[in-house]
Amino acid sequence: MLHKQLVKVVVSVSLLCGCASGPNLRDRSGIPGDIWSMLRAGERNDISSALKKYCAEHSMYEYVVGDAIITAFLPRLDAENMSPERKERIIFALEYAAKVLENARRKDDSFAEINRRLGGVYSVLADLKSDKNLYKKSAANMERYISAGKGGSIDEIYLSLGEVYEELGQNQKAIEAYTEYLRKHIGGSQDSAAISARIEKLNGGKQ
């Protein structure tokens, strides 16, 4: 599941630039270049000091910072060829991103995209840490995003939600999420056929 989830999270990146209450944003990532360099370096102290120094008390800017951390570290993941040190560093970075995003939501819970990003990052962390409680957090955030009814690509969220419920062993909820994906998905028949086969398997071979 990890590889599929990473693709969805990376593809769904939404970078916000030019927050009025935040510091000046200089480069295409939506954060100052020096923060971006620190994030790319992946050093704990650098990430911590960068956020403390630059993260303004503004929910949307905090979203940009959390989103940038996710964007910087997810492409580095290779579940099959990852050293323990690299895995630990990436987990730390993603956990930090989750905290920043949670803080942004506490300040402004009207921005539905935060729930989408949290749903994705908790799912990846759950894979990395083999922690079912994180899958539950992922599902809760995806459900919250769906309930807001404000986002695009809702079909992909249902697909991700189905995968999370499968990991939790909640097959009926997984079937319901996959069924919604099929209802809303506008794409190739190959994708639909694969999900239909997964639904049939979860249903015990019944169509």
Side-chain angles (χ1 to χ4, degrees), residues 59 104-112 114-115 144 148 150:
S59 61
R105 184 171 60 192
R106 280 192 292 271
K107 294 178 181 179
D108 181 5
D109 63 1
S110 66
F111 185 45
I114 293 175
N115 299 318
R144 194 177 288 123
K150 297 179 180 180

Side-chain angles (χ1 to χ4, degrees), residues 176-189:
E176 291 170 3
Y178 288 142
T179 301
E180 284 299 310
Y181 168 79
L182 291 176
R183 286 183 56 223
K184 299 177 183 300
H185 182 58
I186 302 174
S189 58

Side-chain angles (χ1 to χ4, degrees), residues 32-186:
D34 45 0
I35 294 183
W36 185 251
S37 297
M38 291 177 185
L39 293 175
R40 297 298 292 184
E43 296 298 331
R44 290 189 179 193
N45 291 337
D46 284 347
I47 294 172
S48 178
S49 62
L51 291 180
K52 287 178 182 177
K53 182 176 180 180
Y54 291 107
C55 193
E57 291 299 315
H58 186 278
S59 61
M60 296 296 283
Y61 187 72
E62 287 182 330
Y63 168 77
V64 173
V65 173
D67 188 81
I69 295 172
I70 295 169
T71 307
F73 282 89
L74 284 188
R76 296 177 173 205
L77 283 177
D78 181 352
E80 295 180 358
N81 299 296
M82 186 160 45
S83 68
E85 293 79 11
R86 185 183 185 192
K87 181 177 179 180
E88 180 184 2
R89 188 166 62 246
I90 290 175
I91 286 174
F92 174 83
L94 296 181
E95 287 178 334
Y96 210 125
K99 288 179 182 178
V100 172
L101 292 171
E102 292 279 11
N103 191 48
R105 184 171 60 192
R106 280 192 292 271
K107 294 178 181 179
D108 181 5
D109 63 1
S110 66
F111 185 45
E113 188 65 21
I114 293 175
N115 299 318
R116 179 189 181 99
R117 299 300 275 142
L118 280 168
V121 76
Y122 279 134
S123 179
V124 175
L125 282 169
D127 284 337
L128 289 171
K129 299 179 73 173
S130 299
D131 186 338
K132 288 196 179 293
N133 286 325
L134 290 173
Y135 283 123
K136 292 177 182 177
K137 281 191 172 185
S138 174
N141 279 283
M142 290 183 193
E143 294 278 14
R144 194 177 288 123
Y145 177 78
I146 290 168
S147 296
K150 297 179 180 180
S153 302
I154 201 72
D155 57 334
E156 294 296 332
I157 289 295
Y158 276 114
L159 180 58
S160 297
L161 185 59
E163 291 177 342
V164 168
Y165 279 134
E166 267 200 81
E167 292 289 341
L168 288 169
Q170 298 182 26
N171 289 354
Q172 186 55 44
K173 287 189 174 182
I175 290 170
E176 291 170 3
Y178 288 142
T179 301
E180 284 299 310
Y181 168 79
L182 291 176
R183 286 183 56 223
K184 299 177 183 300
H185 182 58
I186 302 174

Side-chain angles (χ1 to χ4, degrees), residues 5-17:
Q5 188 66 41
L6 290 177
V7 171
K8 293 190 193 71
V9 174
V10 174
V11 169
S12 67
V13 168
S14 174
L15 294 174
L16 306 178
C17 298

